[in-house]
């Protein structure tokens, strides 16, 4: 078995300080490493088995060498990367700046935050197991966690481990959270996609999907076309169908039934009933979405009702906003307080 490797490529803001409210404010630090995944080896897309992983270390981490910390695994969305979320590449969000602000106030328990780069040749792994994109469930829930626990001062138990994500990452949060209650004790899904099968596609959108014949054409495709091909790579892989190694999505302008069935079987709402016993083991479940973020907002309302039917405790909220505009605010005021309360700090 090839050993996990870690190469610290970049270290930022290690105990850098700034002036806030007339006093010095300690900041956290970011390490960007590579963590090998045996479960990712040999995937048909040719995605690396050594993905980049960004690690946020809280302000006290390097000051207090004996202290151990809870960990939140934060999963990014489709076509995003860990570098974008951690401010290493300019993006619509800078997660470390948000977290630094919160921890500087001293009201919440500090935690380590870890984000693997799940960007694939088709734009995103959906944190699913697939011969085409790699076995991302095992990578996140087993190999990555094992590596982080061995190389950082974590509290290495489920009670001190949380899982969160946005959009595709929100979907991944629910998918992994319901399967691994012995790994993660609390989950928070921000605007989770893919909770229900997609609606009827227009003939124009189907034609665009069918027209994509090679990766070069995929790179020029619109967002919706990329989503379809990435969904196929994650949920309807087929090793006999190069160059995308997926079942046929559209043929002669018609969505193929078997592909459609496989995608529906992987939708978040379809799998919940299979994992009720696991969900009842979780210490905390939370999810939210902006009211203008449709159909996501409507789908998590269905999730809310479904969990209510099973009398599973959870926090659900629909707020004024869309898919992106208030995610930083939700992390600051909702997600971080949630994990500060739910995760055991000792």
């Amino acid at each position: 078995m090839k050993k996990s490797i870690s190469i610290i490529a970049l270290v930022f803001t290690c105990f850098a300080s700034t002036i806030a409210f007339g006093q010095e404010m300690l900041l956290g630090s970011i390490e960007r490493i590579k963590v090998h995944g045996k479960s990712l080896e040999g995937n048909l897309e040719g995605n690396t088995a050594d993905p980049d992983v960004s690690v946020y270390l809280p302000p006290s981490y390097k000051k207090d060498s004996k202290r151990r910390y809870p960990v939140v695994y934060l999963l990014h969305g489709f076509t995003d990367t860990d570098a974008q979320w951690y401010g290493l590449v300019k993006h619509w969000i800078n997660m470390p700046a948000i977290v630094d602000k919160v921890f500087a106030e001293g009201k919440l328990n500090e935690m380590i935050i870890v984000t693997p780069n799940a960007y694939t040749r088709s734009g995103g792994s959906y944190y699913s197991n697939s011969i085409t994109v790699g076995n991302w469930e095992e990578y996140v829930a087993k190999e990555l966690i094992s590596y982080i626990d061995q190389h950082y001062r974590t509290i290495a138990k489920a009670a001190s481990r949380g899982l969160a994500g946005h959009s595709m990452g929100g979907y991944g949060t629910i998918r992994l959270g319901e399967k691994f209650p012995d790994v993660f004790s609390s989950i928070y899904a921000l605007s989770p996609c893919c909770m229900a099968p997609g609606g009827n596609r227009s003939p124009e959108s189907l034609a665009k999907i069918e027209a994509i014949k090679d990766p070069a054409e995929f790179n020029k495709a619109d967002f919706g076309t990329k989503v379809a091909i990435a969904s196929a790579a994650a949920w309807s892989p087929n090793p006999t169908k190069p160059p995308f190694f997926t079942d046929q999505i559209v043929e002669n302008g018609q969505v193929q039934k078997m592909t459609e069935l496989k995608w529906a079987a992987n939708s978040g709402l379809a799998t919940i009933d299979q994992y009720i016993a696991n969900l009842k083991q979780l210490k905390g479940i939370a999810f939210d979405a902006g009211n203008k973020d449709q159909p996501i907002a409507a789908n998590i309302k269905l999730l809310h009702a479904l969990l209510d039917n099973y009398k599973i405790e959870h926090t659900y909220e629909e707020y004024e906003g869309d898919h992106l505009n208030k995610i930083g605010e939700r992390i600051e005021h909702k997600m971080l307080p949630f994990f500060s309360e739910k995760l055991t700090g000792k």
Side-chain angles (χ1 to χ4, degrees), residues 140-158:
V140 174
K142 297 178 181 179
E143 294 179 300
L144 177 59
I145 285 174
S146 176
Y147 184 91
I148 295 298
D149 283 344
Q150 290 175 35
H151 291 82
Y152 293 90
R153 294 196 313 277
T154 68
I155 303 173
K157 57 184 180 180

Side-chain angles (χ1 to χ4, degrees), residues 106-293:
K107 297 178 182 178
L108 301 183
N109 297 323
E110 290 185 349
M111 60 197 78
I112 296 169
I113 303 176
V114 178
T115 300
N117 184 9
Y119 186 87
T120 62
R121 189 185 76 174
S122 52
S125 69
Y126 286 94
Y127 305 98
S128 301
N129 280 351
S130 161
I131 193 172
T132 299
V133 295
N135 288 351
W136 276 86
E137 290 180 20
E138 274 76 12
Y139 178 72
V140 174
K142 297 178 181 179
E143 294 179 300
L144 177 59
I145 285 174
S146 176
Y147 184 91
I148 295 298
D149 283 344
Q150 290 175 35
H151 291 82
Y152 293 90
R153 294 196 313 277
T154 68
I155 303 173
K157 57 184 180 180
S160 301
R161 199 179 290 125
L163 181 65
H166 172 251
S167 194
M168 178 184 80
Y171 167 81
T173 294
I174 294 171
R175 184 182 182 102
L176 273 64
E178 67 187 10
K179 291 186 177 185
F180 299 101
D182 56 332
V183 177
F184 308 103
S185 64
S186 300
I187 63 173
Y188 197 116
L190 299 148
S191 307
C193 78
C194 317
M195 296 307 296
N200 293 328
R201 295 179 183 270
S202 69
E204 292 78 13
S205 67
L206 294 177
K208 288 179 180 179
I209 295 168
E210 191 170 9
I212 302 298
K213 303 299 183 184
D214 61 56
E217 292 175 345
F218 170 84
N219 292 334
K220 299 174 183 177
D222 60 57
F223 187 83
T225 301
K226 288 181 176 179
V227 165
I229 293 173
S231 298
W235 303 325
S236 54
N238 188 328
T240 70
K241 297 286 186 179
F244 292 109
F245 299 104
T246 73
D247 286 343
Q248 190 76 18
I249 305 170
V250 182
E251 189 170 354
N252 297 323
Q254 300 295 315
V255 176
Q256 299 302 287
K257 281 294 181 184
M258 183 56 69
T259 302
E260 195 171 41
L261 286 171
K262 289 180 179 181
W263 293 13
N266 279 277
S267 63
L269 289 169
T271 60
I272 290 292
D273 300 283
Q274 303 168 39
Y275 297 103
I276 296 305
N278 287 356
L279 289 166
K280 287 183 175 180
Q281 294 179 47
L282 296 178
K283 185 177 179 181
I285 300 172
F287 46 91
D288 58 29
N291 58 353
K292 297 180 179 64
D293 188 11

Side-chain angles (χ1 to χ4, degrees), residues 25-50:
M25 183 177 80
L26 293 177
L27 304 180
S29 60
I30 303 168
E31 295 185 359
R32 196 167 193 230
I33 62 178
K34 290 184 181 292
V35 179
H36 183 76
K38 187 169 182 60
S39 56
L40 301 181
E41 292 178 0
N43 67 82
L44 298 178
E45 280 192 346
N47 302 312
T48 181
D50 298 291

